[in-house]
Amino acid sequence: MSGNGLDYSALFNKDLPPPAGRWQGHPKYNFIGGHSDPDKVPTEGFIESADRVFHGDPRNISMYNFSGGPQGILPLREFVVDKLGRHRGIETTIDDVLITGGSGQAIELINEILLEPGDTAIVEAFSFSGALGNLRRRGVNVVGINLDGDGMRMDHLAEVLEGLRDKGVRPKYIYTIPTLQNPTGTVLTMERRHQLLALSEQYGVPIFEDECYADLIFEGEYENAIRSMDDTNRVLHIGSFSKTLGPGTRLGYVVAPWEVMSRLLSRKNDAGTGVMDQMIVGDYFNNHYDEHILDVRAALQRKCDVLGSALRESFGPSVEFDVPRGGMYLWVKLPDGVDSRALEGPALREGIAFNPGPDWSADPAAAAGYIRLCFALPSEAEIREGVEKLADVFRREGALP
Ligand SMILES: Cc1ncc(COP(=O)(O)O)c(C=O)c1O
C-alpha cells in the first residue's frame, strides 16, 4: 500500500510484467548490456553541432514534427540514406526512412503491426534478449535456427520452414542480426545472404534485418546488408545510433516501403522522436561520421584484444570463445555442466556484472553454459582487473578447475 493509503494493486492491468526492482547503480566492473565507450563520445563535436542547430529555426522545437514530419527531421534521414548507400550497399530514399526512439522502438513497432498471440517468428538460436523478450510477451511462438561460425545455418532454416509449412504455419518473419550478431559476433556470409533471400521468397516470409552493430566492423570492407540485395521489399531493415554514439541518444531507424511505413506511422503514437537529439546527431554525423566511426572501431578492437588476452590469462583453456570481426561482445562458453545463472549473484557481490547466456537464447536451457561479456564500456585496466576477479569468483564457486 502506498503512503497516502491508496492501494493500486487491484487496479493494475492484469497482463503487466513483474514490477521492476529499484535501481542499484552500476557495478564497478560492468560487462553487461550494450553500453558504448565513454571516451569515444564526441562531446566537442556535439557542442559545435548544438551551437549550429540552436542558431537554426526555433520552429523545429516549437512545433510537433516541423522539419520532416512524423518520419523524423530531414538532415538525419538524409544522413541515414547516405550512410546506408556508402557503407551497406542499400539504395533508399528519405521516404522509406523512419527515425525511432532507439532501434528498440523499431522492433516494438514492427512487432505491433505484424504479430498477434499464437503467431510464429523465426530467430537465430542465440539472439538479442530484448527482441526475444518482446516476442515472448506477445505470446508468439519463437523458433530458433542454429548458428555456426558463418551465422545462421541455411540448411536448418530450410528444414524448419518446410516443417512449419507442412503444419500449415506461415511464420510472420525471420529475424536476423546478420552483421556482428548479438551475442555470437558472427557475420553471415554473402552466399548465405543470397540463400536467405531465396528461402524468404520460396516460403513467402519477410526478413527482419537488424543491423544494430554493422557500423562496428573492424575491417574496411565487409558484407553488404541483405536489404541491399532485395528489390522485392521482402526485407525490413533497422539500425541504431546507440552503438556508434551511445545508447543515451535513444535514436534508431527503420527502412521500409510505404505499405509498411504507413502502418508503422499509425502505430507510432509518441508524437515524434525527440527533435533536439535528432538535430544534434544529424548535424554531427553529416559532418564527421567517417572519422568518428574509424576512431570507435579502433578503440573497440583494442578492447576486444585486451578482453581476449585477459580471458586466456585468467581462465586458461577451460573457456572457449571466437574473436569477432567487430562489435562489442565476446560470447564465452564455460566448462561443461556449469550454469552461468548460478554465478551471476556471487560475481555481482564482488562488483562484477556479466550477462548469463539463457536470456540470449530462443531455448534458455541451451545457453546455460554461456556468458556474454561487453567490452565497450570498461577501461582496459578495468577489463584486466575485472576478468581476473571474475576468474577468482568462478574458481571459488567450483566453476573452473
Ligand atoms: C541486436 C539489437 N537490436 C536492437 C537493440 C536496441 O538498441 P537501441 O534501442 O539502443 O537502439 C539492441 C541493443 O542492445 C541490440 O543488441
Side-chain angles (χ1 to χ4, degrees), residues 84-354:
L84 291 177
R86 289 191 301 119
H87 293 271
R88 309 303 304 123
I90 298 177
E91 270 178 49
T92 187
T93 70
I94 54 167
D95 295 337
D96 286 353
V97 175
L98 168 66
I99 304 294
T100 53
S103 56
Q105 187 187 40
I107 294 174
E108 172 75 21
L109 289 172
I110 289 176
N111 286 349
E112 275 288 305
I113 65 162
L114 290 178
L115 300 177
E116 292 170 36
D119 278 345
T120 295
I122 294 181
V123 301
E124 284 141 349
F126 298 141
S127 187
F128 169 43
S129 62
L132 293 173
N134 197 301
L135 292 171
R136 290 193 182 111
R137 271 199 306 283
R138 291 169 186 277
V140 168
N141 173 30
V142 179
V143 181
I145 305 298
N146 294 335
L147 293 144
D148 63 19
D150 289 335
M152 200 198 297
R153 272 183 37 202
M154 291 303 123
D155 57 333
H156 191 212
L157 176 63
E159 200 183 298
V160 165
L161 284 167
E162 190 59 28
L164 288 170
R165 180 189 269 178
D166 287 348
K167 288 193 242 159
V169 176
R170 180 182 178 190
K172 281 294 176 74
Y173 60 61
I174 303 161
Y175 172 71
T176 176
I177 311 161
T179 314
L180 301 173
Q181 208 263 351
N182 179 7
T184 61
T186 51
V187 179
L188 194 71
T189 59
M190 284 308 277
E191 192 188 352
R192 288 192 188 178
R193 287 171 199 242
H194 286 291
Q195 289 168 344
L196 180 52
L197 273 170
L199 286 169
S200 153
E201 189 171 355
Q202 187 180 342
Y203 290 91
V205 181
I207 297 167
F208 180 177
E209 176 177 48
D210 183 343
E211 283 220 324
C212 194
Y213 299 94
D215 301 307
L216 304 183
I217 202 101
F218 299 152
E219 309 140 31
E221 295 281 313
Y222 57 107
E223 290 77 353
N224 273 348
I226 303 170
R227 178 73 178 77
S228 74
M229 303 174 241
D230 165 37
D231 48 16
T232 52
N233 277 336
R234 59 184 63 257
V235 181
L236 302 175
H237 179 97
I238 68 169
S240 180
F241 293 88
S242 291
K243 314 299 166 179
T244 48
L245 285 172
T249 55
R250 303 311 310 131
L251 291 174
Y253 52 88
V254 184
V255 180
W258 180 247
E259 185 186 5
V260 174
M261 180 66 70
S262 57
R263 299 301 185 126
L264 294 171
L265 285 172
S266 65
R267 253 294 170 217
K268 189 172 182 292
N269 45 18
D270 60 1
T273 301
V275 153
M276 292 210 274
D277 310 338
Q278 292 190 64
M279 289 194 303
I280 294 168
V281 168
D283 184 90
Y284 178 71
F285 264 174
N286 275 314
N287 289 298
H288 299 289
Y289 177 77
D290 288 358
E291 73 206 49
H292 174 78
I293 202 64
L294 289 179
D295 197 28
V296 169
R297 288 173 184 169
L300 286 174
Q301 188 164 19
R302 273 196 306 279
K303 287 187 172 183
C304 182
D305 289 346
V306 171
L307 178 59
S309 331
L311 282 169
R312 279 184 215 105
E313 212 166 287
S314 300
F315 284 74
S318 5
V319 298
E320 292 163 38
F321 58 91
D322 289 324
V323 178
R325 285 168 57 193
M328 47 172 67
Y329 307 116
L330 288 189
W331 180 238
V332 182
K333 186 174 178 308
L334 304 177
D336 286 346
V338 173
D339 182 351
S340 57
R341 278 166 303 196
L343 298 164
E344 192 183 11
L348 263 182
R349 284 192 284 281
E350 304 290 330
I352 315 154
F354 63 83

